[in-house]
Amino acid sequence: MSQYETIIAETPVERVRLIKLNRPRQLNAYSTRMCEELCIEIDAYLKDDALRALVLTGEGRGFCAGGDVSSADEDRDDLMQQQMSHGREMRDGMHRVIQALHHLDKPAIAAINGPAVAGGLALALACDIRIADEDAKLGDTSGRFALLPDEGGAWLFPRAMGLDRALKMTMLAETYPAREAQTLGLVTEVVARGEALNQSLDLAQRIAAQSPLAVRLAKGMMTTSMDMTLEQSQREAALAVMVANPSKDVAEGVRAFFKKETPIFTGH
């Protein structure tokens, strides 16, 4: 287990990294230090080929309540004394975290065990898949403090739920129960209370058993195609095929199929 002040990072099962936001008294509201530690751990996950899936969750009864407005962030106090303080706080803080998750070519799953609001919702949406406890709440509460969806929500929210619904959510500072959030496009799957982490770890294990090469290439193809035409996406796919098809993983998949065995993929 890695030693951090605001997160817990461990590998509870082979090939799966688990990160827990660890400020439970603040419902895991993010701080300057938490953002720094998340960036370190996400980068370590990206660079470790032995790790094939990431699960992100919160310690205690919350996933993430957004930015900390309780004045309990001592690191922020120092940052506010510097030039361009508020801009640097966003650029060097949660902006870096959201971008790190968004640009990952390896899978990330959000296990939403409680409130995921404002920046916490942006954090969940930066992951590829979101599994939520049935009693979790999701939404954008930033407007209650006259704040903005500035962590990445202005980009992520409309893409997940449509512009009209995102505007309504943000302008009225709305939150939704997990099942309603699922119908709105904010949640992938809703599970029984207390099961989000277990279900996410199970899903991560199943993904980790697949070819890491195919998983990473497929994720890259799909995420980049969101801003491409069909023809552009197909050109990118043709290039990716030149990497995937000659790989040892494809040969192993074909071999295991005809032998009726479980393939063992190495990512080569």
Side-chain angles (χ1 to χ4, degrees), residues 192-228:
R193 180 180 181 182
E195 283 298 308
L197 179 55
N198 290 335
Q199 294 293 325
S200 296
L201 288 172
D202 178 70
L203 175 60
Q205 283 183 278
R206 287 187 282 143
I207 292 173
Q210 307 303 311
S211 163
L213 185 63
V215 167
R216 296 175 80 161
L217 288 171
K219 176 179 174 178
M221 289 165 61
M222 289 189 185
T223 53
T224 57
S225 71
M226 298 295 290
D227 297 314
M228 291 181 177

Side-chain angles (χ1 to χ4, degrees), residues 47-88:
K47 292 177 179 177
D48 188 344
D49 286 344
L51 297 173
R52 300 186 182 181
L54 171 69
V55 174
L56 179 65
T57 193
E59 185 72 10
R61 60 188 182 89
F63 177 76
C64 178
D68 191 350
V69 295
S70 68
S71 300
D73 186 356
E74 295 179 1
D75 295 299
R76 183 178 187 272
D77 294 339
D78 294 335
L79 183 60
M80 288 300 105
Q81 304 304 313
Q82 301 177 27
Q83 293 181 8
M84 299 292 290
S85 55
H86 290 285
R88 292 181 64 174

Side-chain angles (χ1 to χ4, degrees), residues 20-268:
K20 289 185 177 182
L21 309 184
N22 190 30
R23 303 183 78 222
R25 277 193 264 180
Q26 293 86 13
L27 284 178
N28 298 313
Y30 68 82
S31 63
T32 303
R33 179 64 54 85
M34 180 184 283
C35 291
E36 292 174 354
E37 293 179 347
L38 280 171
C39 286
I40 292 169
E41 189 58 34
I42 292 168
D43 186 60
Y45 162 66
L46 173 64
K47 292 177 179 177
D48 188 344
D49 286 344
L51 297 173
R52 300 186 182 181
L54 171 69
V55 174
L56 179 65
T57 193
E59 185 72 10
R61 60 188 182 89
F63 177 76
C64 178
D68 191 350
V69 295
S70 68
S71 300
D73 186 356
E74 295 179 1
D75 295 299
R76 183 178 187 272
D77 294 339
D78 294 335
L79 183 60
M80 288 300 105
Q81 304 304 313
Q82 301 177 27
Q83 293 181 8
M84 299 292 290
S85 55
H86 290 285
R88 292 181 64 174
E89 179 187 21
M90 298 308 302
R91 183 193 67 199
D92 297 336
M94 189 49 75
H95 282 188
R96 284 183 61 208
V97 176
I98 297 296
Q99 289 178 30
L101 285 170
H102 180 68
H103 292 300
L104 270 178
D105 67 347
K106 298 166 73 172
I109 302 167
I112 304 171
N113 58 306
V117 296
L121 178 58
L123 184 64
L125 289 173
C127 296
D128 304 303
I129 299 169
R130 288 158 295 285
I131 310 296
D133 281 343
E134 61 186 357
D135 58 346
K137 300 274 189 179
L138 299 93
D140 183 16
T141 55
S142 56
R144 295 178 187 175
F145 305 94
L147 295 170
L148 302 173
D150 47 15
E151 296 95 341
W155 192 88
L156 291 161
F157 298 164
R159 283 167 169 77
M161 62 194 307
L163 178 59
D164 55 344
R165 289 173 171 176
L167 284 169
K168 179 174 177 287
M169 176 181 70
T170 293
M171 290 191 293
L172 296 180
E174 291 183 333
T175 60
Y176 313 105
R179 295 199 184 279
E180 184 177 356
Q182 183 181 25
T183 66
L184 292 170
L186 299 175
V187 171
T188 310
E189 184 178 342
V190 178
V191 297
R193 180 180 181 182
E195 283 298 308
L197 179 55
N198 290 335
Q199 294 293 325
S200 296
L201 288 172
D202 178 70
L203 175 60
Q205 283 183 278
R206 287 187 282 143
I207 292 173
Q210 307 303 311
S211 163
L213 185 63
V215 167
R216 296 175 80 161
L217 288 171
K219 176 179 174 178
M221 289 165 61
M222 289 189 185
T223 53
T224 57
S225 71
M226 298 295 290
D227 297 314
M228 291 181 177
T229 65
L230 172 61
E231 292 76 16
Q232 289 171 326
S233 177
Q234 289 175 322
R235 282 196 295 272
E236 291 293 314
L239 293 174
V241 161
M242 295 176 68
V243 176
N245 284 17
S247 71
K248 292 181 180 179
D249 275 3
V250 168
E252 170 64 8
V254 173
R255 182 203 66 79
F257 174 79
F258 284 107
K259 293 285 188 178
K260 297 183 179 179
E261 297 175 355
T262 300
I264 301 175
F265 295 117
T266 63
H268 296 97

